[in-house]
Amino acid sequence: MQSLGIRQQDIQERFIRSSGKGGQKVNKTSTCVYLRHLPSGIEVKCQIERSQALNRFLARRILVNKIEAHILGRLSAERKRIEKIRRQKRKRSKRAKEKMLRLKKERSEKKQMRAYRPSVDEF
């Protein structure tokens, strides 16, 4: 945090009740940690663990990673992952689709040739 110039005074911290699995324990205690870095406006919410202290640590680590990615202006690992998924879901070109279908047809024909078919003599 010191290397990035993040001061403790710049972070607003709140504890709220978690949601999801955990039943009574989650409903009674405020284990979810909400952090907000005031100068940049970056917000982080962490409810990974059942312990408030551990969630505080994890939330700070996530916040520092987000601020570092924001300051350095590089693509974070999360953004790279999202871009990769977007590229994978993008519609294929007509040529690529035809090629893919042709290869599938060839593969199915190969499999059909391998299939066991009893000859007339065996009956």
Side-chain angles (χ1 to χ4, degrees):
M1 286 175 66
Q2 291 174 349
S3 63
L4 293 172
I6 302 170
R7 297 179 311 173
Q8 198 63 30
Q9 303 93 302
D10 294 341
I11 298 175
Q12 178 187 14
E13 184 175 46
R14 287 191 350 219
F15 301 103
I16 51 180
R17 291 205 175 124
S18 299
S19 62
K21 298 175 187 172
Q24 243 178 357
K25 175 72 174 166
V26 169
N27 296 335
K28 288 181 180 177
T29 59
S30 300
T31 55
C32 182
V33 179
Y34 169 83
L35 296 179
R36 182 169 187 212
H37 186 242
L38 298 173
S40 64
I42 296 174
E43 298 174 348
V44 171
K45 201 183 217 183
C46 184
Q47 59 182 26
I48 298 168
E49 299 294 329
R50 286 178 70 178
S51 149
Q52 189 183 72
L54 198 52
N55 280 336
R56 278 184 83 188
F57 170 75
L58 294 172
R60 287 181 194 289
R61 201 163 68 181
I62 293 167
L63 182 70
V64 168
N65 289 339
K66 279 191 172 189
I67 292 172
E68 182 182 22
H70 179 73
I71 290 173
L72 298 178
R74 65 175 183 211
L75 291 175
S76 65
E78 181 69 16
R79 184 174 278 162
K80 284 182 183 178
R81 186 183 67 80
I82 290 168
E83 287 298 321
K84 182 179 178 186
I85 291 169
R86 188 174 287 141
R87 280 194 307 274
Q88 288 173 344
K89 288 185 176 183
R90 193 169 48 205
K91 192 175 178 184
R92 286 192 173 102
S93 68
K94 190 174 183 180
R95 187 181 218 170
K97 196 172 187 181
E98 287 171 355
K99 180 182 176 185
M100 186 250 326
L101 290 173
R102 188 179 70 246
L103 292 172
K104 279 177 99 173
K105 186 170 176 72
E106 288 173 9
R107 194 172 295 118
S108 72
E109 287 172 355
K110 268 187 201 176
K111 282 187 164 190
Q112 285 177 353
M113 295 296 284
R114 282 191 224 131
Y116 171 74
R117 292 190 190 92
S119 63
V120 177
D121 298 335
E122 291 181 24
F123 288 112

